Amino acid sequence: MDESKPQRRSPEMAWPLVAAILLGAALLSWVALANGFPLVFADSGTYLRIPLELHYPTDRPPVYGLAIGLPLWLTGVWGIVAVQAIGSALMIAMTLAVAGSRLRARDLIATCTLLALGSSLPWFVGQIMPDIATGFVPLILFALLARPADTPLWQRAGLAALLALLIAVHLSHVLLTAGLLVVACLAMLLTGMGQRETIRRSLPAALAIALALLGLSGLNRMAGYEFRPALSSDTFLLARLFDGHLAQPTLARLCREPALAHCAVRPLVDDPAIAKPGQAYLWDRRSPIGTMLDRDRLGVIAEQRLIIRTVLHDDPAGVAALAWQGFAEQLRTVRKGMLPPYAADMQISRILKARLPDDFQAFSRSRQQRGMLDPLKFAPDAGVAVAVVLLLPVMLVWAIRARRAKLLGLAGLVVATILLNAAITGDLSGPDDRYQSRILWLLPLLAACFAFDALRRSAPRNQPA
């Protein structure tokens, strides 16, 4: 392979990169700055409650809430945006360096500018949600798999530990990382890397997955729940089957003899006026699921598993059709910035008013709370992503001819991420605008890596690349 090793930089050479990272972070924060307050989603209140009230959620991992605790206590809510922005700039810098074996400050600034103006990334950098981490997962995995053979152990261990943390902040990341690792291992074997070298390169990522699963299970057990990574996975999967109207006939049959506690949810999930009965099952105030779980958690989970198994046994074709429908719909559902204003009785409003009263005033005056986010949605992120997809065959042909194995590997991981993310979120939780939008920025980043590598290779030898 025509792949050179990364060059070591002197401290004098590093200062321009430090300045470029800070400038890139500022560029990527523009949406939150223009909003006047970090963007929030309905779930943001739960994540803020974790460090502010020591709340332990059962419907999602607490890791993101724990991670934002330190910047929140030190600098307030803007510290969360700062950490996410600097982290994003560092991820972009790392990817440019690993893919091209060289990093220049001007390339980093240009890439951050492209992503700030032509991608969805700024909407997640400035949002108090773990969705920002989803796009980081394939980039860390790429750095682990494409690293030079002489990479120090501490760097490999650090990347693996960071990958474990990123996996743990959202349950979809467990399946995403595992799927990407399988795809990458198959690709390495098919391209002749050899079984031993494939295992050596993939082992840190596999250990990161195991560490994340053990960590999540341990946290849940310490909080007094079951030793398992996901406490509500059965609840969300059953809700998905209710949304697809597949579980209602099964529940009706099982309730002929009213022994199941879930028979109490039938009036809600059978209501023809409710378009998404599964979401009503999860979040509607009329739903008895919260009370049921409080009263007999293990029994309710056993019922959920019984209903799910019965649906899978009785209607596998219907489940397969629902999965395909969710996958296809999620691929098309990429709108960014679908963030409404939140009423005073919503959790995010209540937690800010009670725990962060000064921030609550800024939140109340923000564009989001005044319903004025639409003017900020001018960036053609979907159009840019489609353009990159259309150019991808040309990019791949060039990389094959130029023997740019790392660029081919990065392209494979990005494409696999887009497909796997759509399958996981579309099938297990139901399509949502933010799920696919949170990783769409990987496409223009991929294009930037190809462009800078092509420019360096075409530059005259007597001129700096």
Side-chain angles (χ1 to χ4, degrees):
M1 292 188 299
D2 183 21
E3 307 271 7
S4 59
K5 293 182 180 181
Q7 300 178 354
R8 296 186 182 275
R9 295 181 177 272
S10 65
E12 293 78 9
M13 296 174 66
W15 280 112
L17 279 178
V18 173
I21 289 170
L22 294 177
L23 177 57
L27 290 169
L28 294 172
S29 305
W30 77 266
V31 173
L33 294 172
N35 182 53
F37 191 80
L39 299 167
V40 295
F41 187 67
D43 296 337
S44 300
T46 298
Y47 291 114
L48 288 174
R49 286 184 65 195
I50 293 170
L52 292 175
E53 299 181 347
L54 299 181
H55 169 69
Y56 197 91
T58 58
D59 59 345
R60 67 197 70 239
V63 178
Y64 178 77
L66 296 172
I68 65 175
L70 183 60
L72 177 64
W73 283 114
L74 290 178
T75 58
V77 292
W78 284 107
I80 301 171
V81 176
V83 170
Q84 294 180 168
I86 293 173
S88 298
L90 288 170
M91 288 290 170
I92 295 166
M94 178 193 69
T95 305
L96 291 172
V98 175
S101 299
R102 184 175 179 182
L103 176 62
R104 299 181 298 187
R106 65 185 183 185
D107 293 349
L108 176 58
I109 294 173
T111 304
C112 288
T113 302
L114 169 65
L115 294 175
L117 299 178
S119 84
S120 59
L121 181 57
W123 291 86
F124 295 97
V125 165
Q127 190 173 156
I128 303 177
M129 284 289 290
D131 294 320
I132 181 65
T134 309
F136 295 168
V137 167
L139 300 184
I140 293 290
L141 186 59
F142 170 67
L144 279 171
L145 297 176
R147 67 186 187 276
D150 60 349
T151 301
L153 177 61
W154 69 268
Q155 289 186 10
R156 285 178 283 165
L159 286 173
L162 180 56
L163 180 60
L165 177 64
L166 293 173
I167 294 170
V169 301
H170 201 282
L171 290 172
S172 66
H173 296 177
V174 177
L175 296 175
L176 177 64
T177 311
L180 289 176
L181 185 58
V182 170
V183 170
C185 288
L186 290 175
M188 289 188 288
L189 290 172
L190 291 175
T191 53
M193 178 168 285
Q195 184 176 356
R196 183 174 180 178
E197 180 64 12
T198 298
I199 293 174
R200 188 183 74 84
R201 288 184 174 271
S202 60
L203 184 59
L207 292 176
I209 297 173
L211 179 61
L213 290 173
L214 286 173
L216 289 173
S217 299
L219 282 173
N220 288 333
R221 190 67 189 92
M222 289 171 58
Y225 299 99
E226 308 94 282
F227 184 79
R228 50 185 295 203
L231 295 176
S232 298
S233 55
D234 301 296
T235 305
F236 283 97
L237 183 54
L238 181 56
R240 180 67 179 131
L241 295 175
F242 279 138
D243 276 339
H245 298 277
L246 296 180
Q248 284 86 336
T250 297
L251 182 59
R253 188 169 67 254
L254 293 174
C255 287
R256 288 173 182 169
E257 296 182 5
L260 294 181
H262 267 81
C263 297
V265 308
R266 286 193 62 197
L268 188 67
V269 299
D270 289 340
D271 188 346
I274 299 177
K276 291 187 175 182
Q279 299 307 303
Y281 169 73
L282 290 173
W283 313 117
D284 196 297
R285 294 179 179 179
R286 296 170 294 172
S287 176
I289 186 61
T291 304
M292 291 162 54
L293 287 168
D294 290 339
R295 184 186 307 122
D296 182 13
R297 180 178 185 82
L298 294 179
V300 169
I301 292 174
E303 287 187 6
Q304 291 171 337
R305 293 175 179 174
L306 170 64
I307 299 169
I308 292 168
R309 286 198 307 269
T310 307
V311 173
L312 291 172
H313 179 270
D314 293 350
D315 193 7
V319 174
L322 180 64
W324 174 256
Q325 177 188 353
F327 169 68
E329 185 179 347
Q330 187 64 81
L331 280 178
R332 301 190 302 267
T333 308
V334 293
R335 293 177 299 173
K336 64 179 183 298
M338 305 304 293
L339 300 167
Y342 290 103
D345 62 340
M346 293 294 290
Q347 180 177 229
I348 180 61
S349 299
R350 288 187 282 106
I351 189 69
L352 288 173
K353 187 174 183 179
R355 299 293 180 176
L356 302 168
D358 293 338
D359 289 321
F360 177 74
Q361 298 302 319
F363 166 72
S364 301
R365 296 190 299 267
S366 67
R367 281 179 170 269
Q368 180 179 352
Q369 281 301 96
R370 290 182 288 138
M372 297 176 62
L373 284 179
D374 284 348
L376 305 182
K377 300 177 187 177
F378 60 84
D381 57 306
V384 171
V386 170
V388 175
V389 170
L390 294 176
L391 287 173
L392 190 58
V394 177
M395 295 159 58
L396 294 177
V397 169
W398 176 86
I400 292 171
R401 289 180 176 177
R403 297 182 180 180
R404 307 303 288 164
K406 289 182 179 180
L407 287 177
L408 290 171
L410 178 60
L413 281 175
V414 168
V415 172
T417 298
I418 291 171
L419 297 177
L420 283 171
N421 184 72
I424 294 166
T425 58
D427 296 347
L428 299 182
S429 62
D432 189 271
D433 293 311
R434 78 180 198 275
Y435 286 139
Q436 203 68 359
S437 185
R438 67 185 181 177
I439 47 96
L440 205 63
W441 60 272
L442 293 173
L443 286 168
L445 174 59
L446 174 66
C449 291
F450 271 83
F452 291 133
D453 194 76
L455 288 172
R456 278 194 292 269
R457 291 177 64 83
S458 63
R461 294 297 181 183
N462 60 347
Q463 294 183 8

